[in-house]
Amino acid sequence: MLQPYSLIDDSIRKAQIASSALKSDLLSRFGEYYTLKPRVLNFLVNDICNAGCTMCNIWEQEPEETLTPDEIRSILDDPLFEKLEYIGVSGGEPTLRPDLPEIFEVIAQSSEASR
């Protein structure tokens, strides 16, 4: 006699096998048309702002640690981002970062490398 838990375990195992087969099939059929890698990145370079707008309270938050240009380069060099076509830069207020030109240089180099 089958135990109830063994029926559940068996069903879960079958569902996992079916899911894996379906994923493999979809990737082989549509992978070249529908990438699983991002093509667009909206990159928030900071979380600070000095405007004090009433519609956005970001200026009331405590600033968090930001990524350095080298850390950004390392992230964008990851194969996950090799299909990027567009990178938007926003924040808080990005122009409050003194290293913003370096960040744009890293983004531009990353974009050139992916072409």
Side-chain angles (χ1 to χ4, degrees):
M1 179 173 158
L2 289 174
Q3 298 295 325
Y5 291 115
S6 67
L7 290 173
I8 293 171
D9 289 342
D10 189 50
S11 296
I12 290 172
R13 191 169 21 83
K14 287 179 181 175
Q16 288 171 334
I17 292 169
S19 173
S20 178
L22 178 61
K23 183 190 247 183
S24 177
D25 185 51
L26 288 174
L27 281 175
S28 68
R29 290 179 188 212
F30 302 110
E32 65 186 274
Y33 304 109
Y34 302 102
T35 180
L36 297 177
K37 296 181 179 184
R39 293 187 182 271
V40 175
L41 175 66
N42 185 26
F43 182 56
L44 305 173
V45 295
N46 64 6
D47 62 350
I48 59 172
C49 184
N50 58 356
C53 300
T54 57
M55 65 173 199
C56 172
N57 295 331
I58 197 167
W59 54 273
E60 292 179 335
Q61 297 177 163
E62 288 295 319
E64 294 183 10
E65 197 171 315
T66 57
L67 297 170
T68 67
D70 286 334
E71 290 170 324
I72 296 167
R73 178 180 287 110
S74 175
I75 291 168
L76 292 176
D77 283 346
D78 188 289
L80 172 67
F81 297 109
E82 66 189 11
K83 301 279 186 182
L84 279 179
E85 296 175 3
Y86 175 81
I87 300 175
V89 175
S90 62
E93 177 48 57
T95 60
L96 294 177
R97 286 203 58 165
D99 60 351
L100 190 61
E102 292 173 58
I103 292 172
F104 279 113
E105 186 175 325
V106 166
I107 291 171
Q109 291 169 352
S110 171
S111 297
E112 289 173 7
S114 66
R115 286 186 201 161

